Amino acid sequence: MIDRPVRIGLQLQPQHMDYATIRRTASEADDLGVDILFNWDHFFPLSGEPDGLHFECWTMLAAWAESTSRVEIGALVACNSYRNPELLADMARTVDHISEGRLILGIGSGWFERDYTEYGYQFGTAGGRLDDLATALPRIESRWEKLNPKPTRDIPVLIGGGGEKKTLRLTAKHADIWHSFSDPSTLERKLGILRDHCADVGRDPSGIEISVMGKTEDRDKMYELGARLFTIHTGGPSPDLTELREFLTWRDQRNA
């Protein structure tokens, strides 16, 4: 069994604010001691004014790789549908080098239909998108072995989603981190399913870090269930790090 410390992530949602605000907030979070800084991989806001200010995921991650110094960075999560798997592997490898080994590849199958329709991607079905993700993950892993130079480390793969037949099996086969949006009772059940998938593929489930969204009322129960990565989110126009500061204090108490 791996004894993991609590880690805290911040998802800085790149909507409804200018980039100067995003850069300043990312730097502040880095200085505060957050463990992981996430954005998301969408082309339009997910809340508020649908056509409000918004910025693209991977160019932002490259900028964060230069403008931060300590924090790990990644998307929560990158959409598999938007980029050829070999290209995504190369992009991740490049940001990994720019950041000197701080990139996490968060990835999922995609769900926001407007992104697909306005940018010319085939939306298809949820099952089909998951099948595409299953095909893409080994291609990404294979490309990392072929690139010159190779990544600076074994880039951690975070898979987001709770589908019990496909997503959790992909997690068992490929992921270093599983991100769930579940409440405690649902998380407990899905962890049992994940353990079954790990047994089927011959993997120790303790090798997968359990990640959840940070909710003050649930965090101690989530911790008891095995969650160790808790992510707070904030966005524009005025990102607020008050909750993040409180979670960092809780982290330090748990890890003492």
PDB file of all heavy atoms in Angstrom, residues 200-219:
ATOM      1  N   ASP A 200      -8.461  -7.442 -12.800  1.00  0.00           N
ATOM      2  CA  ASP A 200      -8.581  -8.058 -14.128  1.00  0.00           C
ATOM      3  C   ASP A 200      -7.339  -7.816 -14.984  1.00  0.00           C
ATOM      4  O   ASP A 200      -6.962  -8.669 -15.787  1.00  0.00           O
ATOM      5  CB  ASP A 200      -9.815  -7.510 -14.857  1.00  0.00           C
ATOM      6  CG  ASP A 200     -11.118  -8.006 -14.248  1.00  0.00           C
ATOM      7  OD1 ASP A 200     -11.087  -9.002 -13.504  1.00  0.00           O
ATOM      8  OD2 ASP A 200     -12.165  -7.383 -14.525  1.00  0.00           O
ATOM      9  N   VAL A 201      -6.714  -6.635 -14.842  1.00  0.00           N
ATOM     10  CA  VAL A 201      -5.546  -6.312 -15.674  1.00  0.00           C
ATOM     11  C   VAL A 201      -4.229  -6.560 -14.946  1.00  0.00           C
ATOM     12  O   VAL A 201      -3.152  -6.270 -15.478  1.00  0.00           O
ATOM     13  CB  VAL A 201      -5.604  -4.849 -16.177  1.00  0.00           C
ATOM     14  CG1 VAL A 201      -6.885  -4.609 -16.975  1.00  0.00           C
ATOM     15  CG2 VAL A 201      -5.472  -3.844 -15.035  1.00  0.00           C
ATOM     16  N   GLY A 202      -4.311  -7.093 -13.719  1.00  0.00           N
ATOM     17  CA  GLY A 202      -3.103  -7.425 -12.984  1.00  0.00           C
ATOM     18  C   GLY A 202      -2.358  -6.242 -12.414  1.00  0.00           C
ATOM     19  O   GLY A 202      -1.127  -6.232 -12.377  1.00  0.00           O
ATOM     20  N   ARG A 203      -3.099  -5.258 -11.912  1.00  0.00           N
ATOM     21  CA  ARG A 203      -2.476  -4.051 -11.393  1.00  0.00           C
ATOM     22  C   ARG A 203      -2.866  -3.821  -9.944  1.00  0.00           C
ATOM     23  O   ARG A 203      -4.020  -4.051  -9.550  1.00  0.00           O
ATOM     24  CB  ARG A 203      -2.890  -2.845 -12.236  1.00  0.00           C
ATOM     25  CG  ARG A 203      -2.181  -1.564 -11.815  1.00  0.00           C
ATOM     26  CD  ARG A 203      -2.469  -0.424 -12.730  1.00  0.00           C
ATOM     27  NE  ARG A 203      -1.724   0.758 -12.298  1.00  0.00           N
ATOM     28  CZ  ARG A 203      -1.966   1.980 -12.744  1.00  0.00           C
ATOM     29  NH1 ARG A 203      -2.922   2.182 -13.649  1.00  0.00           N
ATOM     30  NH2 ARG A 203      -1.259   3.007 -12.312  1.00  0.00           N
ATOM     31  N   ASP A 204      -1.924  -3.329  -9.150  1.00  0.00           N
ATOM     32  CA  ASP A 204      -2.190  -2.960  -7.773  1.00  0.00           C
ATOM     33  C   ASP A 204      -2.940  -1.625  -7.764  1.00  0.00           C
ATOM     34  O   ASP A 204      -2.389  -0.602  -8.214  1.00  0.00           O
ATOM     35  CB  ASP A 204      -0.874  -2.829  -7.008  1.00  0.00           C
ATOM     36  CG  ASP A 204      -1.068  -2.473  -5.536  1.00  0.00           C
ATOM     37  OD1 ASP A 204      -2.204  -2.178  -5.123  1.00  0.00           O
ATOM     38  OD2 ASP A 204      -0.056  -2.479  -4.806  1.00  0.00           O
ATOM     39  N   PRO A 205      -4.172  -1.571  -7.255  1.00  0.00           N
ATOM     40  CA  PRO A 205      -4.933  -0.314  -7.307  1.00  0.00           C
ATOM     41  C   PRO A 205      -4.316   0.801  -6.469  1.00  0.00           C
ATOM     42  O   PRO A 205      -4.614   1.974  -6.701  1.00  0.00           O
ATOM     43  CB  PRO A 205      -6.314  -0.713  -6.776  1.00  0.00           C
ATOM     44  CG  PRO A 205      -6.083  -1.966  -6.004  1.00  0.00           C
ATOM     45  CD  PRO A 205      -4.956  -2.670  -6.682  1.00  0.00           C
ATOM     46  N   SER A 206      -3.465   0.445  -5.508  1.00  0.00           N
ATOM     47  CA  SER A 206      -2.848   1.491  -4.700  1.00  0.00           C
ATOM     48  C   SER A 206      -1.875   2.346  -5.509  1.00  0.00           C
ATOM     49  O   SER A 206      -1.441   3.406  -5.058  1.00  0.00           O
ATOM     50  CB  SER A 206      -2.124   0.895  -3.493  1.00  0.00           C
ATOM     51  OG  SER A 206      -0.983   0.163  -3.889  1.00  0.00           O
ATOM     52  N   GLY A 207      -1.553   1.894  -6.728  1.00  0.00           N
ATOM     53  CA  GLY A 207      -0.704   2.686  -7.611  1.00  0.00           C
ATOM     54  C   GLY A 207      -1.427   3.825  -8.289  1.00  0.00           C
ATOM     55  O   GLY A 207      -0.803   4.601  -9.026  1.00  0.00           O
ATOM     56  N   ILE A 208      -2.733   3.947  -8.072  1.00  0.00           N
ATOM     57  CA  ILE A 208      -3.542   5.005  -8.681  1.00  0.00           C
ATOM     58  C   ILE A 208      -3.945   6.002  -7.600  1.00  0.00           C
ATOM     59  O   ILE A 208      -4.599   5.644  -6.617  1.00  0.00           O
ATOM     60  CB  ILE A 208      -4.792   4.426  -9.365  1.00  0.00           C
ATOM     61  CG1 ILE A 208      -4.393   3.414 -10.441  1.00  0.00           C
ATOM     62  CG2 ILE A 208      -5.655   5.543  -9.957  1.00  0.00           C
ATOM     63  CD1 ILE A 208      -5.552   2.647 -11.023  1.00  0.00           C
ATOM     64  N   GLU A 209      -3.546   7.254  -7.775  1.00  0.00           N
ATOM     65  CA  GLU A 209      -3.929   8.306  -6.841  1.00  0.00           C
ATOM     66  C   GLU A 209      -5.385   8.689  -7.092  1.00  0.00           C
ATOM     67  O   GLU A 209      -5.796   8.874  -8.243  1.00  0.00           O
ATOM     68  CB  GLU A 209      -3.028   9.516  -7.027  1.00  0.00           C
ATOM     69  CG  GLU A 209      -3.275  10.642  -6.034  1.00  0.00           C
ATOM     70  CD  GLU A 209      -2.296  11.795  -6.202  1.00  0.00           C
ATOM     71  OE1 GLU A 209      -1.664  11.888  -7.283  1.00  0.00           O
ATOM     72  OE2 GLU A 209      -2.157  12.600  -5.260  1.00  0.00           O
ATOM     73  N   ILE A 210      -6.166   8.821  -6.025  1.00  0.00           N
ATOM     74  CA  ILE A 210      -7.585   9.141  -6.138  1.00  0.00           C
ATOM     75  C   ILE A 210      -7.773  10.645  -5.961  1.00  0.00           C
ATOM     76  O   ILE A 210      -7.381  11.231  -4.952  1.00  0.00           O
ATOM     77  CB  ILE A 210      -8.419   8.371  -5.095  1.00  0.00           C
ATOM     78  CG1 ILE A 210      -8.146   6.861  -5.204  1.00  0.00           C
ATOM     79  CG2 ILE A 210      -9.907   8.665  -5.291  1.00  0.00           C
ATOM     80  CD1 ILE A 210      -8.375   6.268  -6.582  1.00  0.00           C
ATOM     81  N   SER A 211      -8.398  11.244  -6.978  1.00  0.00           N
ATOM     82  CA  SER A 211      -8.571  12.694  -7.054  1.00  0.00           C
ATOM     83  C   SER A 211     -10.062  13.030  -7.048  1.00  0.00           C
ATOM     84  O   SER A 211     -10.856  12.371  -7.720  1.00  0.00           O
ATOM     85  CB  SER A 211      -7.922  13.197  -8.344  1.00  0.00           C
ATOM     86  OG  SER A 211      -8.280  14.530  -8.629  1.00  0.00           O
ATOM     87  N   VAL A 212     -10.430  14.071  -6.306  1.00  0.00           N
ATOM     88  CA  VAL A 212     -11.827  14.512  -6.226  1.00  0.00           C
ATOM     89  C   VAL A 212     -11.871  16.031  -6.219  1.00  0.00           C
ATOM     90  O   VAL A 212     -10.860  16.695  -5.969  1.00  0.00           O
ATOM     91  CB  VAL A 212     -12.531  13.964  -4.957  1.00  0.00           C
ATOM     92  CG1 VAL A 212     -12.612  12.448  -4.978  1.00  0.00           C
ATOM     93  CG2 VAL A 212     -11.827  14.447  -3.687  1.00  0.00           C
ATOM     94  N   MET A 213     -13.042  16.582  -6.479  1.00  0.00           N
ATOM     95  CA  MET A 213     -13.236  18.016  -6.316  1.00  0.00           C
ATOM     96  C   MET A 213     -13.324  18.324  -4.824  1.00  0.00           C
ATOM     97  O   MET A 213     -13.924  17.574  -4.052  1.00  0.00           O
ATOM     98  CB  MET A 213     -14.511  18.480  -7.026  1.00  0.00           C
ATOM     99  CG  MET A 213     -14.510  18.256  -8.528  1.00  0.00           C
ATOM    100  SD  MET A 213     -13.055  18.907  -9.417  1.00  0.00           S
ATOM    101  CE  MET A 213     -13.289  20.687  -9.237  1.00  0.00           C
ATOM    102  N   GLY A 214     -12.698  19.414  -4.414  1.00  0.00           N
ATOM    103  CA  GLY A 214     -12.640  19.755  -3.009  1.00  0.00           C
ATOM    104  C   GLY A 214     -13.934  20.382  -2.512  1.00  0.00           C
ATOM    105  O   GLY A 214     -14.306  21.470  -2.939  1.00  0.00           O
ATOM    106  N   LYS A 215     -14.615  19.681  -1.617  1.00  0.00           N
ATOM    107  CA  LYS A 215     -15.817  20.213  -0.966  1.00  0.00           C
ATOM    108  C   LYS A 215     -15.613  20.078   0.533  1.00  0.00           C
ATOM    109  O   LYS A 215     -15.380  18.978   1.044  1.00  0.00           O
ATOM    110  CB  LYS A 215     -17.064  19.450  -1.407  1.00  0.00           C
ATOM    111  CG  LYS A 215     -17.388  19.603  -2.887  1.00  0.00           C
ATOM    112  CD  LYS A 215     -18.656  18.844  -3.258  1.00  0.00           C
ATOM    113  CE  LYS A 215     -18.990  19.015  -4.730  1.00  0.00           C
ATOM    114  NZ  LYS A 215     -20.216  18.266  -5.119  1.00  0.00           N
ATOM    115  N   THR A 216     -15.693  21.182   1.240  1.00  0.00           N
ATOM    116  CA  THR A 216     -15.379  21.189   2.668  1.00  0.00           C
ATOM    117  C   THR A 216     -16.211  20.166   3.422  1.00  0.00           C
ATOM    118  O   THR A 216     -15.694  19.443   4.288  1.00  0.00           O
ATOM    119  CB  THR A 216     -15.614  22.596   3.245  1.00  0.00           C
ATOM    120  OG1 THR A 216     -14.811  23.537   2.522  1.00  0.00           O
ATOM    121  CG2 THR A 216     -15.261  22.647   4.716  1.00  0.00           C
ATOM    122  N   GLU A 217     -17.484  20.044   3.074  1.00  0.00           N
ATOM    123  CA  GLU A 217     -18.366  19.158   3.836  1.00  0.00           C
ATOM    124  C   GLU A 217     -18.063  17.685   3.605  1.00  0.00           C
ATOM    125  O   GLU A 217     -18.452  16.838   4.414  1.00  0.00           O
ATOM    126  CB  GLU A 217     -19.833  19.453   3.493  1.00  0.00           C
ATOM    127  CG  GLU A 217     -20.228  19.175   2.038  1.00  0.00           C
ATOM    128  CD  GLU A 217     -20.001  20.349   1.117  1.00  0.00           C
ATOM    129  OE1 GLU A 217     -19.207  21.246   1.462  1.00  0.00           O
ATOM    130  OE2 GLU A 217     -20.625  20.362   0.039  1.00  0.00           O
ATOM    131  N   ASP A 218     -17.377  17.352   2.503  1.00  0.00           N
ATOM    132  CA  ASP A 218     -17.126  15.954   2.166  1.00  0.00           C
ATOM    133  C   ASP A 218     -15.681  15.523   2.371  1.00  0.00           C
ATOM    134  O   ASP A 218     -15.367  14.336   2.298  1.00  0.00           O
ATOM    135  CB  ASP A 218     -17.472  15.690   0.685  1.00  0.00           C
ATOM    136  CG  ASP A 218     -18.956  15.783   0.396  1.00  0.00           C
ATOM    137  OD1 ASP A 218     -19.747  15.660   1.352  1.00  0.00           O
ATOM    138  OD2 ASP A 218     -19.313  15.980  -0.782  1.00  0.00           O
ATOM    139  N   ARG A 219     -14.775  16.460   2.600  1.00  0.00           N
ATOM    140  CA  ARG A 219     -13.368  16.126   2.421  1.00  0.00           C
ATOM    141  C   ARG A 219     -12.852  15.091   3.410  1.00  0.00           C
ATOM    142  O   ARG A 219     -12.027  14.245   3.048  1.00  0.00           O
ATOM    143  CB  ARG A 219     -12.520  17.395   2.463  1.00  0.00           C
ATOM    144  CG  ARG A 219     -12.484  18.101   3.800  1.00  0.00           C
ATOM    145  CD  ARG A 219     -11.797  19.451   3.693  1.00  0.00           C
ATOM    146  NE  ARG A 219     -11.780  20.131   4.983  1.00  0.00           N
ATOM    147  CZ  ARG A 219     -11.423  21.393   5.145  1.00  0.00           C
ATOM    148  NH1 ARG A 219     -11.076  22.117   4.085  1.00  0.00           N
ATOM    149  NH2 ARG A 219     -11.417  21.941   6.345  1.00  0.00           N
TER     150      ARG A 219
END
